[in-house]
Amino acid sequence: MRDAVTKVALVMLPSLLADIELFRKIAVAGAVLAVGGSAYLLAKGRSNVRGVIVPLAATIGMAVFSYRLENMTDWRLTVFGFMTLFVVYYLQDGIVGFLRSLMGRGVVHDTSLAVQAKNANPFAGARTNAAGGPLLKVDKVLMQFGGLKALNEVDLIVAERSVHGLIGPNGSGKSTMMNVLTGIYRPTAGTMQFDGVDIKGRTPSQIALGGIARTFQNVQLFGEMTATENVLVGLHHTFKSNVFDVMLQTPRYRREESAARERAASILEFVGLSAFANEEARNLPYGKQRLLEIGRALGLNPRLLLLDEPAAGLTAPDIKDLMAIIRKIRDHGITIILIEHHMDVVMAISDTVTVLDFGQKISEGTSAAVQNDPKVIEAYLGGSSGVSSGGDAPVYAAAH
């Protein structure tokens, strides 16, 4: 994977190339660096004339070409494409990797990114309180879009160290509640307290770093990054190093990198993905991608984990694995809000279930009580006539 400096440079290039004078300075600087770098590599015997002639000619030619242009309007995309191809072919380890190779500290590609997980705790830094006390309090939350009340004065109390199921028919307001809790939507009215702290109006990043993590209804992974690298994204908050520490590979950065990789390995082992540590996320089976997304969320040290339909599209064996992971997470003291259409999953592992319908809370209680609530039966089936209240609850069957 190319380093972050290279990616930022490529993103900024189209804007930088709009200024002809700035482009000339960049081209000349590139040519000077190419001449100096080529001379250094030849002097140290790390390359030969054949290896440096093409990039040397290209950069010098670009510098000469820049002074023959009068404007960049017609040439900007062509130049950008040429520079992108140059980076892809000649700087495969990125700008930082190239500079490190010049200093004789070439990039080390770890062939076993998943180091021994036994040295790290997947829940290191996580903070939990005693079970039973309220962790999240939502009071009369209203989320209005124009004339539509997606949430209509909903109350919700989530107990510490519990699995709280949140169910309802399509359009009932479940995903809206998820987006309100994570700061994507700011509620129109009402209050939200997490561990006694008001979180209404906070940004998604502030809420995430404050202890609330989430997964998404549609898998949101970095497909071209490995499973380990995806988890490392969730561990970004553990790094105190700056860009100079990264470029110079300072002891502080190396310590943090090593600790993060050990932690990532422990998380992958926890969710059962150790064997896929070096596999790109896009190549993982769909069920494994779901587990990887949960693993990445655990990297944030959450006290409250929001799972948005994690069983969607999974096979029966994958669902069984998912339920085991959710129980393990709860057993480690992390509270879970579970949105799910698979009623067998919700009813089997939820301590409390809340039911929404048309933006309103219509029922709340234990799994058994909710399954036999006439309001819930009517919401799912459109009526309660001829429905038995015994045995397997009708709402359970309706959700399959």
Side-chain angles (χ1 to χ4, degrees), residues 8 28 37 42 70 85 92 143 194 208 215 258 263 270 281 294 298 301 343 353 371:
V8 171
V28 171
L42 291 173
E70 294 183 359
L85 288 174
Q92 296 183 12
M143 187 68 237
F194 176 67
T215 64
S258 177
R263 174 84 184 283
F270 180 83
I294 292 174
L298 292 177
N301 291 333
M343 291 299 106
V353 179
Q371 290 181 72

Side-chain angles (χ1 to χ4, degrees), residues 95-115:
I95 295 173
V96 172
F98 175 72
L99 293 176
R100 289 175 61 197
S101 68
L102 287 179
M103 294 184 294
R105 302 173 63 183
V107 178
V108 177
H109 295 284
D110 190 354
T111 57
S112 178
L113 293 177
V115 297

Side-chain angles (χ1 to χ4, degrees), residues 232-253:
L232 287 173
V233 171
L235 292 168
H236 73 280
H237 62 98
T238 65
F239 284 82
K240 305 301 180 184
S241 305
N242 54 42
V243 67
F244 298 106
D245 288 315
V246 177
M247 293 178 65
L248 299 176
Q249 294 289 288
T250 62
R252 177 171 74 164
Y253 171 73

Side-chain angles (χ1 to χ4, degrees), residues 269-291:
E269 183 180 51
F270 180 83
V271 298
L273 295 179
S274 291
F276 301 94
N278 299 320
E279 190 69 48
E280 289 186 359
R282 61 183 176 182
N283 296 332
L284 296 180
Y286 184 72
K288 304 301 182 186
Q289 291 185 22
R290 285 285 186 185
L291 295 180

Side-chain angles (χ1 to χ4, degrees), residues 143-303:
M143 187 68 237
Q144 190 165 347
F145 301 96
L148 174 65
K149 293 181 179 179
L151 294 174
N152 189 5
E153 297 188 349
V154 175
D155 297 327
L156 190 67
I157 297 179
V158 179
E160 184 100 26
R161 296 178 178 237
S162 69
V163 176
H164 195 114
L166 186 61
I167 66 173
N170 289 330
S172 60
K174 304 184 300 297
S175 293
T176 301
M177 175 62 79
M178 184 78 80
N179 290 332
V180 165
L181 292 177
T182 53
I184 296 176
Y185 296 155
R186 181 187 177 96
T188 307
T191 61
M192 300 187 302
Q193 287 192 334
F194 176 67
D195 196 25
V197 177
D198 184 15
I199 60 173
K200 179 181 176 181
R202 294 197 175 188
T203 65
S205 60
Q206 290 173 332
I207 290 176
L209 292 175
I212 300 179
R214 70 171 294 180
T215 64
F216 296 86
Q217 186 172 346
N218 298 315
V219 175
Q220 301 287 333
L221 294 172
F222 299 99
E224 296 184 358
M225 295 170 64
T226 66
T228 296
E229 290 166 343
N230 269 274
V231 176
L232 287 173
V233 171
L235 292 168
H236 73 280
H237 62 98
T238 65
F239 284 82
K240 305 301 180 184
S241 305
N242 54 42
V243 67
F244 298 106
D245 288 315
V246 177
M247 293 178 65
L248 299 176
Q249 294 289 288
T250 62
R252 177 171 74 164
Y253 171 73
R254 291 199 298 271
R255 285 194 303 269
E256 291 177 347
E257 175 78 3
S258 177
R261 287 188 178 275
E262 288 187 6
R263 174 84 184 283
S266 70
I267 290 175
L268 289 176
E269 183 180 51
F270 180 83
V271 298
L273 295 179
S274 291
F276 301 94
N278 299 320
E279 190 69 48
E280 289 186 359
R282 61 183 176 182
N283 296 332
L284 296 180
Y286 184 72
K288 304 301 182 186
Q289 291 185 22
R290 285 285 186 185
L291 295 180
L292 178 56
E293 193 172 36
I294 292 174
R296 184 179 61 186
L298 292 177
L300 285 168
N301 291 333
R303 295 185 62 191

